[in-house]
Amino acid sequence: MDLSTTIAGVRFPSCFMNASGALCVTRDELLALGRSHAGAIVTKSMTVEPRDGNPTPRYYAFPGGSINSMGLPNLGYQAYAALIPELKEFGKPVIASVAGLCEDDFPTIAAIINAAKPDLIEVNLSCPNIPGKPQIGYDAEASERLLKRVRKVITVPMGVKLPPYFDPAHHTAMGEVIGRCGVDFLNLINSVGNGLVVDPEREAVVIKPKGGFGGLGGTIIKPVALANVRAFWKIFEGRIPIIGTGGVVHGVDAFEHLLCGASAVQIGTVLVEEGVSVFGRLETELAAQFSKKGYAKLEDCRGKLQEL
Ligand code: OXC
């Protein structure tokens, strides 16, 4: 079964890869992704300075998903720039995820990381977990300003990781911004920001930062992720490739993302829970789903969701 895919002209041997943040901070974690069945290596979102991130506990998994407030722990962009040549030796695409603590950080990081020649760059406009810093993706003007600045220094395909939107007016507004900024691919969605999980036994929150508020991931966010993939697929009529992220636990979840218009899927919560062996399992499950449905490759079902 052919589970390969192409995004912005870059071929991926498999459509499954890690979501930025999941097991991709350290060199060892990134090398493990390289050795795994993952179709790409996605780095943790990087900032100018190395960061330890927020105080622990800052990740908690429960039956329907997870909540996190990691706070962008990462090695700093210079360390990732130095690692990229080694990661590229695995022969699969390397996606560098660029973040920042203020607007000026993004072009600074993007220029240096671009020079290290990752196969693609993903600009993260949607980390919900930096105390006092709102998600840029919820501010259309700031997003446009920032994307136009980074576009000038990025020569590899440039993608944007967006937060979930919950109203068609917001899909339309961000779609217009994306259309004006030379975006080559979208990654939908980051975690559903600022959820709250309560432990009734301890009568307490489950993570420490921000009074327990954090980004939700896993099964519970799948309908939100699918809705955002579908909305942007329709806005661009399939012209901008989409990586679907959110709620992929089994092969059939990936299939649903493909039907909505995704060209690939990223794995967060279940990668953290199962480790890199998850990629082999998901490939087997998606291949079985394709066989059952009579599909031979991704393009045969991508975007083909039927409406009633
Ligand atoms: N999304 C991010 O973009 N970053 C991380 N968590 C998340 O849900 C983080 O580092 O907090």
Side-chain angles (χ1 to χ4, degrees):
M1 190 66 68
D2 182 9
L3 298 182
S4 68
T5 191
T6 301
I7 294 171
V10 179
R11 189 184 168 277
F12 292 68
S14 157
C15 64
F16 292 104
M17 67 195 83
N18 66 296
S20 178
L23 304 188
C24 61
V25 175
T26 64
R27 175 173 176 269
D28 282 353
E29 286 174 335
L30 291 162
L31 295 179
L33 288 167
R35 288 188 293 266
S36 78
H37 274 249
I41 305 172
V42 186
T43 73
K44 173 68 185 170
S45 294
M46 56 195 79
T47 52
V48 172
E49 301 297 334
R51 286 173 60 83
D52 291 333
N54 290 338
T56 58
R58 58 191 187 183
Y59 172 86
Y60 178 85
F62 50 96
S66 67
I67 183 166
N68 90 82
S69 183
M70 306 304 286
L72 293 177
N74 78 96
L75 306 177
Y77 74 109
Q78 277 154 338
Y80 294 109
L83 270 171
I84 286 173
E86 185 180 8
L87 299 178
K88 284 180 74 173
E89 283 172 21
F90 287 101
K92 49 177 132 177
V94 173
I95 304 182
S97 175
V98 170
L101 298 182
C102 66
E103 223 172 284
D104 287 347
D105 288 354
F106 284 79
T108 305
I109 299 172
I112 302 294
I113 214 74
N114 184 72
K117 296 208 176 352
D119 297 278
L120 307 95
I121 291 178
E122 181 177 287
V123 182
N124 183 357
L125 296 187
S126 46
C127 178
N129 301 328
I130 305 300
K133 307 249 183 227
Q135 291 161 84
I136 302 162
Y138 286 138
D139 178 338
E141 271 177 37
S143 297
E144 180 156 0
R145 223 171 32 236
L146 193 153
L147 288 175
K148 284 183 171 158
R149 287 181 70 188
V150 290
R151 181 69 278 184
K152 289 200 182 105
V153 299
I154 294 177
T155 56
V156 301
M158 179 185 93
V160 187
K161 178 125 176 221
L162 292 173
Y165 300 101
F166 300 94
D167 192 281
H170 296 153
H171 292 128
T172 306
M174 270 319 278
E176 284 169 5
V177 168
I178 298 298
R180 289 194 290 266
C181 293
V183 173
D184 298 305
F185 69 98
L186 294 172
N187 186 339
L188 308 167
I189 56 176
N190 207 320
S191 57
V192 173
N194 298 293
L196 187 62
V197 173
V198 170
D199 178 348
E201 200 53 49
R202 291 170 57 212
E203 304 179 19
V205 299
V206 297
I207 55 172
K208 186 174 171 75
K210 290 177 69 175
F213 286 62
L216 302 173
T219 300
I220 53 167
I221 73 161
K222 186 175 73 171
V224 178
L226 294 176
N228 276 270
V229 170
R230 190 66 183 162
F232 282 99
W233 167 262
K234 283 187 158 191
I235 285 174
F236 293 109
E237 296 172 333
R239 289 186 306 276
I240 298 188
I242 296 171
I243 300 176
T245 306
V248 176
V249 177
H250 291 290
V252 70
D253 304 313
F255 183 63
E256 292 174 17
H257 270 275
L258 301 177
L259 287 173
C260 289
S263 292
V265 289
Q266 291 187 348
I267 315 300
T269 302
V270 81
L271 169 58
V272 174
E273 293 305 305
E274 270 181 56
V276 295
S277 65
V278 74
F279 294 111
R281 175 177 69 73
L282 288 168
E283 280 174 21
T284 307
E285 289 176 2
L286 182 59
Q289 180 71 16
F290 273 19
S291 300
K292 188 172 134 194
K293 294 294 209 160
Y295 292 119
K297 55 185 190 315
L298 249 80
E299 293 74 43
D300 296 344
C301 63
R302 188 180 51 225
K304 299 278 168 62
L305 186 69
Q306 299 198 33
E307 296 185 9
L308 305 179

